[in-house]
Amino acid sequence: MPTFNQLLKFPRSKPKPRARSAALEKCPQKKGVCLKVFTMNPKKPNSADRKVVKIQLSTGRLIIGYIPGESHNLQEHSVVLIRGGRAKDLPGVKYHLIRGPLDLTAVDNRKKSRSKYGRKKI
């Protein structure tokens, strides 16, 4: 417990709210280079092989991003665009990749919610 004199010198301060996706640095998207493409298993009670990628951002930070949609063409040294948004059942995955721009191609034969998966209207 601080003394009265300590409180006069250093008043109590509210904890600052932390950003959920700190690596974005208040930007809507960031560009990065893929270092490793691999799969992860989700937490209980879910079961699958989720496709994720380790990315080095243009700022130099290393993050893990989730690849949405069916199949992908990513490999080491691919350049990708990331956005915020965590994968709830994957611990430590706080970012999604954006399909369509840069090296990550759109999902083939996508009919519904195409904008999420980078598919143009045919």
Side-chain angles (χ1 to χ4, degrees), residues 22-42:
L24 287 176
E25 298 169 348
K26 298 185 179 176
C27 301
Q29 299 97 18
K30 281 256 187 244
K31 189 162 75 165
V33 179
C34 297
L35 301 180
K36 182 181 172 189
V37 182
F38 57 104
T39 61
M40 281 175 83
N41 294 339

Side-chain angles (χ1 to χ4, degrees), residues 61-89:
R61 287 179 80 153
L62 294 177
I63 60 157
I64 298 177
Y66 179 71
I67 307 170
E70 298 172 1
S71 76
H72 65 87
N73 64 324
L74 282 188
Q75 50 193 2
E76 206 179 330
H77 308 305
S78 297
V79 181
V80 292
L81 203 61
I82 66 143
R83 64 174 173 86
R86 71 186 187 125
K88 190 169 185 290
D89 55 4

